[in-house]
Structures are given as C-alpha cells and as structure tokens.
C-alpha cells in the first residue's frame, strides 16, 4: 500500500538511461574510423514506456496544468469581465466554488489512476525504490543509480548546500551594489517617503507581475512547457554523449538550482583542466544554451539554470540570481575541486549580470567573457516601453530589477573580453544597423575609463568611439593604421607601469604622455578588450570564436 501511495505522489519519469557494454562502442568507433562510416549510436540507451493508464492520465493532468496556467495569467481580465456581467454575487461565487471543487476531485481521481498505472509498471517501481533510497540514505552509490533517470527535478535530492563550505563564509551572500541613500531630516524624510509611496507601490506591482516576466521570459511556465521536448533532448545529449552529471544546489534563499557538469580533466587537452561556468540569457537553458560553445572547444563546463527556469525553483530577481550564482561558485570550488584561478566565467546576454557579480565577489577567478551583454538595463527597458512610462520604468528597474553590469564589472581586476555582435537587434537602443547604439560599446567604455582614466580622457574616448563605429575587420584596421598604433610600444609601456606601480586598477598610466601616445594606448586597449562577431543576438558563438581574454 505504501508503494502504491508513492506511485500516486511520485514524480513524472521521462527517460531511463541504461549503460551498454563499454567495450562495444569503442570497437564500433574504431571500425567507423577505418571505414568512414556515419557517427555511431551513443553508449547509452534512453527509454521509458509508461503503461496506457499512466500515459493517458499524464496527458489529462498536463492539459489541466496548462489550462490553469492560462487562467492564472488571464485572471485579472476574467475577474473584470465577471464583475461587469454581475457574476460576482455570493450565490454565483458559491456555485463557481462547487464547480472548482468537483474539478479538483476529478483531477485527484485521475492522479490516483495514474498511480495505479505506475504501480503495475516494473520500471517505475524500480525507479521509485531507488529515489526513496537516495532520499533516505543519500550515499554516492544511491545517487549514482538515481543519475540513470530523468524525472521531475523537484523530487531530486539536494547534492550541495550553500552552507556546506565553511572555509569561505565571508564570501557568501555578498549584497548587490546599491546607490547610497541621500540624508534628510526626519520630518522631511517621512514626508518624502509618504509622497513616494504610491509610486513605490506601482513599481513593485509592475516589477513582480509582467515586469520580471518580460525581463526573463524563460521563467514563464507556458514557454517552458512548449520547450520541454527540446530541453529533454538537450539534457539527454549532455548525459549520453558528454557524460554530464546533474546536481541540485540549495541556495541561501531556499531556491534549488539545477546544474549540469561536464568533466574534461581526464582528457589530453590542456583546456580541459579549466572550468567554464556558463550564465545563460533571459530565455536560455543550459540544455540548449551557450554551454555548447566552450564544451565543443574542449573545456570542462558547468551550466546552471536561472531561478524559475526548468528544474530551478524561485523567481529570477537580482538578489535571487546573485544567491544562485554564489552557490554555483561554491559548488565548483568546494565540491568539484576547481581552484578559482582555474575558473572562467562565460555569459551570454542577460547572463552578464550574474557573471559580473561572481567576478566582483570572487576576484581570483581566471577570466571573464561577456558575449552580447550590456552595461545597464534602463536604456534597453526604455526602448521597449512607452515614452510616457519613462519615470515608472526607470524607478522600477532601479528599485527591483537593477542589472548594473557596468558597475559590477569595474569591481573586477582580472582579464576581460567583450564579444560584440555587429548585427545585434536586442541590446541596441535604435536599430540593429546602428552599431553605435549597441550597449556593449558603453560596457567597454566604462571598463576602460575605470581602469585607465588618464588614457581614456576626452581624446581617448573620441578615438575609441571612432574605432567602435567600424563594423568590419577592414574598417577596424583602417582606423588602427590611421593613428599608427605600435603594439610593441604599447605593450612595453604597460609592462613598465605594471612592474613599477603594481597591477591594481585604476592605473595612472598616460598621465605624463603625449596626446599621440594616449590615442595609441586607447586604441590598443580597446582592441584587446573587445572582439567583434558578425551575427545577430541569438546566433550561437562558434567554438573557434571562443577566445580567452588578453592578459598582460
């Protein structure tokens, strides 16, 4: 009876991975290389055949879940319509409650039928037994057996907690960067706060209803439901072909973060000893996201999903994002065994927020690569909202959705590479053809102005902007040659300064230099920190375009 109850309440099982004979794939692969045959089937079998009762009950419950999600998002309009039609009287509300109760009883009955279907399936019985043992004992052997199954991640046991690492307690829960409050007298402060209260309430409502869903569309349940087959296929590819190891991490705010780790340290490639932690975009998932770029380039890779994305719980607000990134970093260091000096942070688009936060909070990481990212969210938010909403949008972003990548980037002292998409249609504030409206330009300028303020004076900013206007390699080279930039001279100047004055930014190099020298240094540094890629925002970065940042 207990097993039947476990089947009724148990998670949905998607796939079962069963390893085949490890010798046969190697033998077949050798034969294929000799005969130039097509690629071989993977060394794993993926299958799960639900019984008819379970299959149909699952379909009905999935449909009910979708309908509930649609009704949830349309509830304000539905309530308004019912009110206008006079249906919100006590008798009508009671009648609607009766209908809702009846539907809940029917769905509970269907869930019980699904449980009976699972109870008669030996595969599911074996799975639920392994899952219960993994929760009860939590040994590596039990979790290894559980890794052979792909199921609803909410039931996966926690593999790592944020408070397990005691040696770096000072690094946990580092707060976000916030603007300093202005000091006022007590009376004026109270009156000012009272006057701003309606605006603050409006900002809170906007941010926590449609605002965060516009910013992170990947957290919308309907989109995840539509992408589910693609996500399951991508996850199976990582497990089957790349020996991926899935893990659940518990962040300090209670959210559970879904991660996938591909270990290349045992390979002959030297880059396999480096770990690339990937931060996905606002509709990206590690199953189908930017993770494939460093993976195909031969690096060890750790991918994770934003809070509220796929197997991760919670909502993708800035503090939740920072907490998730924090536990991912601790997991990489304390459980996977990578030193911070061997970790590279790679982010695409909105993932630049968590990557710059991690670089700021873990300053010893090896390098930071930001692909198609931006400096500040406010200009991009104003681009897609009505002009009359400017004040509300600015206040909402600053108070609740402040993705201040530029500020966080300037707190990092290590090597940085920015990848700018020359046809980017998302992070430009006008049209994709206007490359100077790409917010990646502002990110570069903020970084260089912080690190080299004497070089990036008025004239230095002017020549860098002129170089940024170039959208092709030929145009870039033309600007570079026009100012007769001597790379060897620039390198010698920077190395001399570093040897004499240290490596902590900001540097005062260029203070006693001619205008011509500062122009040369400005262009040299811009070219070392930014790489152009002729593509749109969502085009995957090819592995051959994945370069490590320049380091002096």
């Amino acid at each position: 009876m207990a097993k039947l109850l476990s089947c009724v309440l148990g998670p949905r099982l998607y796939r079962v991975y069963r390893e085949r004979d490890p010798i046969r794939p190697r033998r077949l692969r050798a034969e294929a290389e000799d005969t130039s045959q097509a690629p071989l089937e993977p060394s794993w079998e993926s299958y799960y055949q639900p019984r008819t009762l379970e299959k149909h009950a699952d379909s009905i419950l999935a449909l009910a879940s979708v309908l509930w999600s649609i009704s949830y998002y349309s509830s304000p309009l539905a309530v308004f319509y019912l009110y206008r039609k006079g249906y919100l009287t006590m008798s009508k509300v009671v009648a609607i409650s009766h209908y809702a109760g009846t539907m809940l009883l029917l769905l509970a009955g269907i869930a019980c039928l699904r449980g009976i279907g699972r109870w008669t399936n030996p595969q599911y019985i074996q799975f639920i037994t392994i899952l219960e043992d993994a929760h009860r004992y939590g040994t590596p052997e039990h979790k290894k057996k559980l890794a052979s199954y792909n199921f609803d991640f909410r039931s996966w046991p926690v593999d790592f907690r944020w408070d397990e690492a005691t040696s770096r307690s000072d690094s946990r829960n580092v707060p976000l960067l916030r603007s300093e409050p202005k000091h006022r007298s007590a009376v004026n402060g109270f009156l000012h706060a009272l006057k701003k209260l309606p605006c603050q309430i409006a900002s809170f409502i906007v941010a926590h209803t449609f605002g965060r869903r516009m910013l992170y569309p990947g957290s919308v349940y309907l989109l995840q439901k539509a992408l589910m087959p693609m996500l399951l296929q991508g996850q199976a590819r990582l497990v089957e072909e790349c020996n991926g190891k899935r893990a659940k991490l518990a962040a300090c705010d209670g959210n559970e973060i879904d991660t996938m780790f591909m270990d290349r340290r045992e390979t002959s490639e030297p880059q396999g000893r480096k770990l690339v932690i990937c931060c996905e975009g606002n509709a990206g998932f590690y199953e189908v996201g930017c993770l494939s770029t460093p993976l195909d380039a031969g690096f060890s890779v750790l991918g994770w999903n934003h809070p509220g994305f796929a197997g991760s719980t919670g909502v993708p607000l800035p503090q939740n994002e920072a907490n998730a990134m924090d536990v991912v970093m601790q997991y990489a260091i304390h459980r996977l065994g990578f030193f911070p000096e061997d970790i590279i942070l790679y982010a695409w688009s909105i993932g630049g927020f968590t990557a710059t936060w991690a670089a700021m909070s873990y300053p010893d990481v090896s390098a930071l690569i930001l692909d198609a990212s931006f400096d500040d969210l406010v200009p991009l938010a104003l681009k897609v909202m009505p002009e009359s909403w400017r004040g509300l949008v600015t206040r909402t972003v600053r108070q609740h959705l402040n993705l201040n990548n530029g500020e966080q980037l300037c707190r990092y002292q290590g090597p940085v590479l920015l990848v700018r998409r020359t046809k980017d249609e998302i992070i430009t504030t006008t049209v994709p053809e206007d490359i100077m409206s790409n917010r990646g330009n502002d990110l570069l300028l903020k970084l260089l102005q912080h690190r080299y303020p004497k070089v990036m004076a008025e004239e230095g900013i002017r020549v860098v902007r002129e170089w940024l206007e170039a959208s092709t390699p030929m145009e870039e080279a033309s600007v570079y040659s026009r100012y007769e930039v001597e790379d060897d001279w620039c390198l010698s100047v920077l190395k001399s300064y570093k040897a004499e004055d240290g490596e902590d930014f900001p540097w005062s190099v260029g203070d006693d230099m001619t205008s011509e020298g500062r122009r040369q240094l400005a262009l040299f540094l811009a070219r070392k920190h930014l790489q152009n890629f002729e593509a749109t925002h969502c085009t995957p970065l090819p592995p051959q375009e994945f370069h490590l940042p320049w380091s002096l």
Side-chain angles (χ1 to χ4, degrees), residues 458-514:
E458 183 177 349
E459 196 162 355
I461 294 175
R462 182 184 63 80
V463 295
V464 170
R465 285 188 178 278
E466 185 178 345
W467 179 78
L468 288 171
E469 288 182 10
S471 57
T472 65
M474 187 175 296
E475 292 175 354
E476 288 180 34
S478 174
V479 175
Y480 210 69
S481 61
R482 189 185 315 147
Y483 290 98
E484 300 179 346
V485 180
E486 297 180 15
D487 290 358
D488 293 339
W489 176 82
C490 293
L491 273 175
S492 65
V493 169
L494 295 173
K495 287 181 178 179
S496 298
Y497 180 90
K498 182 178 179 180
E500 294 175 6
D501 297 272
E503 57 185 17
D504 290 341
F505 295 109
W507 286 8
S508 60
V509 63
D511 192 20
D512 53 353
M513 194 176 291
T514 64

Side-chain angles (χ1 to χ4, degrees), residues 157-397:
V158 172
D159 296 286
F160 182 84
R161 294 183 54 83
W162 66 277
D163 53 0
E164 285 187 27
T166 57
S167 61
R168 285 213 47 175
S169 58
D170 60 326
S171 70
R172 291 197 292 269
N173 203 22
V174 179
L176 302 176
L177 288 177
R178 300 187 186 278
S179 57
E180 293 294 329
K182 297 179 180 179
H183 298 285
R184 300 173 180 269
S185 66
V187 176
N188 289 340
F190 174 76
L191 293 176
H192 182 73
L194 191 64
K195 182 180 178 182
K196 292 179 64 177
L197 185 60
C199 297
Q200 292 176 345
I201 293 174
S203 296
F204 181 87
I205 293 173
V206 169
H208 291 269
T209 53
F210 65 86
R212 68 172 177 84
R213 291 176 174 87
M214 288 181 64
L215 186 59
Y216 289 95
S219 65
V220 177
Y221 173 77
L222 292 176
L223 178 61
Q224 294 185 34
K225 196 70 177 176
L227 293 176
M228 182 60 70
M230 188 186 304
L231 298 181
L232 291 175
Q233 185 178 1
Q235 194 174 104
R237 181 184 68 85
L238 295 175
V239 172
E240 294 170 359
E241 300 177 14
C242 306
N243 196 27
K245 295 177 177 60
R246 199 178 186 190
K248 176 186 282 190
L249 316 183
C252 63
D253 53 15
N255 289 335
E256 296 173 340
I257 307 303
D258 182 6
T259 68
M260 183 72 75
F261 170 55
M262 277 65 62
D263 195 350
R264 298 287 183 81
R265 284 174 288 190
E266 300 301 323
T267 63
S268 59
E269 299 175 337
Q271 61 266 39
R273 292 189 289 273
K274 292 281 188 179
L275 175 67
V276 178
I277 298 181
C278 298
C279 303
E280 300 290 346
N282 64 354
F285 303 81
Y286 73 69
E287 293 90 340
V288 292
C290 65
L291 175 150
S292 60
T293 296
L295 188 62
D296 292 341
F299 291 87
S300 293
V301 178
L302 176 60
W304 62 282
N305 281 329
H306 297 283
F309 281 52
S312 297
T313 62
V315 292
L317 295 172
Q319 187 64 63
N320 295 351
E321 289 276 305
N323 294 337
M325 188 68 202
D326 187 44
V327 74
V328 168
M329 289 294 299
Q330 291 185 55
Y331 174 67
I333 296 169
H334 297 288
R335 179 61 62 83
L336 300 181
F338 287 90
F339 292 107
E341 296 80 7
D342 293 325
I343 295 176
I344 300 166
L345 299 170
Y346 171 51
W348 173 63
S349 190
I350 210 170
F353 172 73
T354 47
T356 54
W357 183 91
M360 171 186 72
S361 305
Y362 293 81
D364 295 331
V365 294
S366 174
L368 173 63
I369 304 172
L370 301 177
D371 180 11
S373 196
F374 53 88
D375 64 318
D376 187 13
L377 181 61
V378 169
L380 299 175
L382 293 174
K383 166 190 171 183
V384 298
M385 299 301 289
E387 178 62 28
S388 57
W389 287 30
R390 172 178 288 271
L392 176 62
V393 170
T394 303
R395 185 167 51 250
T396 300
V397 170

Side-chain angles (χ1 to χ4, degrees), residues 1-10 111-120 124-125 128 132:
M1 194 64 187
K3 191 64 70 176
L4 176 59
L5 182 61
S6 297
C7 291
V8 173
L9 301 177
C112 291
L113 291 175
R114 180 181 66 177
I116 294 173
R118 291 170 172 176
W119 188 51
T120 60
Y124 195 89
I125 292 295
I128 204 68
E132 290 173 346

Side-chain angles (χ1 to χ4, degrees), residues 67 83 109 131 133 167 183 219 231 345 416 447 542:
L67 293 176
Y83 174 77
L131 178 62
D133 289 343
S167 61
H183 298 285
S219 65
L231 298 181
L345 299 170
V416 176
L447 176 66

